[in-house]
Amino acid sequence: MPGMAGAMLNVLRLFAAVQAAGTAVGLGLLAPLPGSPHLGADPAFVAVDNYAAVDNYLQDQLDSLGIPGAAVVIIRDGKQVHQGAFGRADDAGRPMTAQTPVLLASTSKSLTAIAVLQQVEAGRLALDEPVQSYLPWFSLNDSRASRITVRHLLHQASGLSSADGTAWEASDTQAPEALEQGVRDLAGASLEGEPGEAFGYSNANFNILGLLVEAVSGQPFGDYMRDHVFRPLAMDHSHTSRASAEADGLARGYSLWFGSLWLQTGVPAPTTGMPSTTMYASAEDLGHELVALIGGGRYADKRILSPESVEAMLTPAVGVDEAKRYAMGWFTRPLSEAASPTADGSRPPLLLEHQGEWGNTHTYTAVVPSSGLGVALVINANDTSAPSRLKALDSNILRILHGQDPAPTVVQEDWLQRNGWVVAAALLLAELVSFVLALVLLLRTRRAVSPGKRWRIFLLAGSALTLDAFLLWLSFSYAPAHFETHLPVIVRQLPDVGFALVPALALAILLPIPRTLWLLSRMLRGSTAVPDAVR
């Protein structure tokens, strides 16, 4: 009987969430899904069948930016109506296809949200139950950890920081137990705010959710996704491990090096982050997910979620900024791409979207419930110095589909991110020059240093130590705080930065003490040296 009571309680909680979603529909926050009472979409916002223009635009961007490969799928009213693939999947020239799997990065989150809501429907999880009810050992370096609920994690409102959500990204472990270990490693983390109080994006939230699914289902998370999400959705080219994705023809990822060279680059994708970032899928498979969500939880003859759960999943819940909110694994905002600048009096419909950014891939999924439109885009490359260049493609596809011209790309990243490799190279050069100057001075052993010239040694030693201190401060303090991550993650996710930064740091850490001692000894030896004329 306790199990029945718990199931009834979960049903009541889900009903409350659905009731809130219904209120959101009534307020115009969330348009109804197909199969529910339709409020009617403004014809000005209904996507046009301009698929050839989308293909032409993507091909033009591949040519102008040098992007290796991309694939796009478009969904209309619960059906795939278009797919296109461009470029290559690897250096061997293998063609990119709509069936080629790509590392998803953060578009993995919506798939994990489906798995969580399946467990809510099964009565094994409750949205407003604390995480510790299912993982009694779960702890942080913060007493408020006991108040984090499943809903807080889904809404990115647990209070965990972005940095705590990326600490594992420098690892490349593929061990099946890495997911649990990653969650246990959060024991030293502190919350940035009260759980449920405000939005705070952290991959850790969805990694914890994946472990919850694993704990209550009795299956490893990867196996659960294969059996209960991928197979029912006929996502035949979706995977939870790199090995299985590679066996299925995984597209190799590319990074933009030094602002000009697209090079095939291996970037760590540990299983620690499987629920949040390191699942793999093709554009076509992501389209199947969108078909199911637009269709109220059904794909073909398989139902993966009830319409009520889909409604709860897509309901905007936590404010991100003035325009954006976060649902469960989806950002939401008005579909500004649908409105002409001269449009008068029409309110854009709601757009649900998520981007996936990794050191060598970019992915994008979008749903417009009111018009039944879905878009899935995968690119086997990323420009980590200015990811907004590829993000512009996402928005422009939506613009084209709504009869608008593509907008010019506006690079949004700050100077340090755009020029990180330049800064790292300059610091490495400065360290090398400092080393060479010290070495030259040390090798000039036969000439005494007169008292009037000792200031040169002091200047060289002081300048070198200042350079070392600046480099260490920038690398271990300023940059991690600025980018809300850890230095090893910066080095691995921005490979051209790491290429110069790692040797520069090695010089800054290893040389200061011996260099300073050598210079001081040279100065002292010079002060007591016997002039050549006396010998």
Side-chain angles (χ1 to χ4, degrees):
M1 293 306 290
M4 182 178 295
M8 287 298 295
L9 182 60
N10 290 335
V11 170
L12 290 173
R13 285 170 172 159
L14 186 57
F15 176 77
V18 173
Q19 193 172 35
T23 301
V25 170
L27 293 174
L29 299 176
L30 181 63
L33 296 163
S36 62
H38 203 290
L39 298 179
D42 187 327
F45 299 123
V46 175
V48 297
D49 298 341
N50 205 3
Y51 310 134
V54 170
D55 287 354
N56 291 336
Y57 170 74
L58 285 174
Q59 185 62 64
D60 179 67
Q61 294 303 300
L62 260 69
D63 294 340
S64 61
L65 297 177
I67 300 169
V72 65
V73 164
I74 299 171
I75 308 299
R76 285 298 308 274
D77 299 323
K79 296 180 181 178
Q80 178 184 305
V81 294
H82 179 74
Q83 68 177 38
F86 317 87
R88 67 187 189 277
D90 56 28
D91 279 347
R94 176 165 52 97
M96 190 76 169
T97 73
Q99 295 76 40
T100 304
V102 168
L103 176 67
L104 292 181
S106 285
T107 50
S108 301
K109 290 180 173 67
S110 60
L111 295 165
T112 296
I114 290 173
V116 171
L117 289 173
Q118 286 178 337
Q119 293 305 301
V120 172
E121 288 186 356
R124 299 188 186 99
L125 287 175
L127 291 175
D128 295 310
E129 194 70 20
V131 172
Q132 289 181 348
S133 296
Y134 311 104
L135 301 174
W137 50 262
F138 174 74
S139 65
L140 305 172
N141 188 25
D142 196 309
S143 61
R144 295 172 293 181
S146 62
R147 300 200 287 275
I148 298 175
T149 68
V150 177
R151 189 188 302 275
H152 293 154
L153 298 174
L154 284 165
H155 287 157
Q156 297 277 18
S158 68
L160 283 164
S161 71
S162 176
D164 289 326
T166 63
W168 47 270
E169 290 182 12
S171 164
D172 201 21
T173 179
Q174 299 296 302
E177 66 273 11
L179 173 57
E180 179 175 338
Q181 186 58 52
V183 175
R184 289 184 180 274
D185 288 344
L186 293 170
S190 298
L191 296 180
E192 293 189 327
E194 186 70 23
E197 189 174 78
F199 174 83
Y201 193 88
S202 179
N203 288 330
N205 290 323
F206 275 74
N207 292 339
I208 297 169
L209 287 168
L211 189 60
L212 287 175
V213 170
E214 182 171 296
V216 301
S217 70
Q219 280 187 282
F221 179 75
D223 293 349
Y224 181 92
M225 294 300 297
R226 180 195 63 213
D227 295 343
H228 300 281
V229 178
F230 296 161
R231 282 179 180 167
L233 292 176
M235 296 176 69
D236 298 330
H237 300 287
S238 298
H239 308 275
T240 56
S241 74
R242 185 168 61 204
S244 60
E246 287 177 339
D248 190 29
L250 173 68
R252 298 299 178 180
Y254 288 74
S255 298
L256 186 65
W257 287 67
F258 313 123
S260 58
L261 299 173
W262 289 102
L263 299 179
Q264 186 171 301
T265 306
V267 176
T271 50
T272 315
M274 188 190 303
S276 65
T277 49
T278 60
M279 286 192 269
Y280 304 78
S282 66
E284 184 177 80
D285 283 4
L286 291 176
H288 294 181
E289 177 197 4
L290 302 184
V291 167
L293 295 179
I294 293 171
R298 180 179 291 277
Y299 179 80
D301 61 342
K302 301 289 176 54
R303 177 166 291 284
I304 60 163
L305 285 176
S306 69
E308 294 79 13
S309 291
V310 174
E311 200 80 52
M313 178 182 179
L314 303 184
T315 299
V318 180
V320 178
D321 56 32
E322 291 184 0
K324 290 184 180 180
R325 299 182 71 82
Y326 200 81
M328 296 179 177
W330 292 91
F331 286 96
T332 73
R333 62 176 175 88
L335 180 60
S336 57
E337 292 86 350
S340 168
T342 60
D344 197 26
S346 298
R347 184 176 63 179
L350 187 79
L351 170 71
L352 296 109
E353 64 179 351
H354 216 297
Q355 286 158 330
E357 302 293 336
W358 208 247
N360 57 1
T361 63
H362 169 89
T363 62
Y364 179 68
T365 50
V367 175
V368 184
S370 64
S371 63
L373 173 69
V375 174
L377 172 69
V378 302
I379 298 174
N380 64 326
N382 206 353
D383 175 6
T384 49
S385 65
S388 56
R389 290 194 180 100
L390 296 191
K391 291 179 181 180
L393 274 63
D394 310 335
S395 178
N396 279 332
I397 289 174
L398 293 174
R399 290 180 62 85
I400 293 169
L401 288 173
H402 290 87
Q404 307 295 319
D405 292 330
T409 299
V410 177
V411 176
Q412 300 173 348
E413 289 72 26
D414 64 17
W415 185 90
L416 181 59
Q417 183 167 353
R418 295 196 313 271
N419 300 281
W421 69 270
V422 177
V423 174
L427 289 170
L428 174 59
L429 179 61
E431 286 286 346
L432 290 172
V433 169
S434 171
F435 173 72
V436 170
L437 288 175
L439 190 62
V440 169
L441 184 59
L442 290 169
L443 292 176
R444 295 171 61 187
T445 57
R446 291 187 57 81
R447 298 182 60 184
V449 180
S450 64
K453 294 183 179 181
R454 290 176 188 171
W455 64 270
R456 296 179 180 179
I457 295 180
F458 279 113
L459 180 62
L460 177 59
S463 298
L465 288 174
T466 300
L467 173 64
D468 296 333
F470 174 75
L471 176 54
L472 294 174
W473 168 79
L474 181 69
S475 301
F476 289 101
S477 179
Y478 180 78
H482 182 72
F483 295 114
E484 297 183 300
T485 188
H486 300 265
L487 178 61
V489 177
I490 295 174
V491 169
R492 300 300 294 270
Q493 292 286 334
L494 284 75
D496 54 350
V497 173
F499 181 79
L501 187 60
V502 169
L505 281 172
L507 292 173
I509 292 171
L510 297 176
L511 284 183
I513 294 177
R515 181 186 58 214
T516 302
L517 292 175
W518 290 336
L519 288 172
L520 289 175
S521 67
R522 177 70 186 87
M523 185 179 68
L524 293 174
R525 183 164 56 251
S527 67
T528 59
V530 179
D532 290 342
V534 179
R535 295 179 182 180

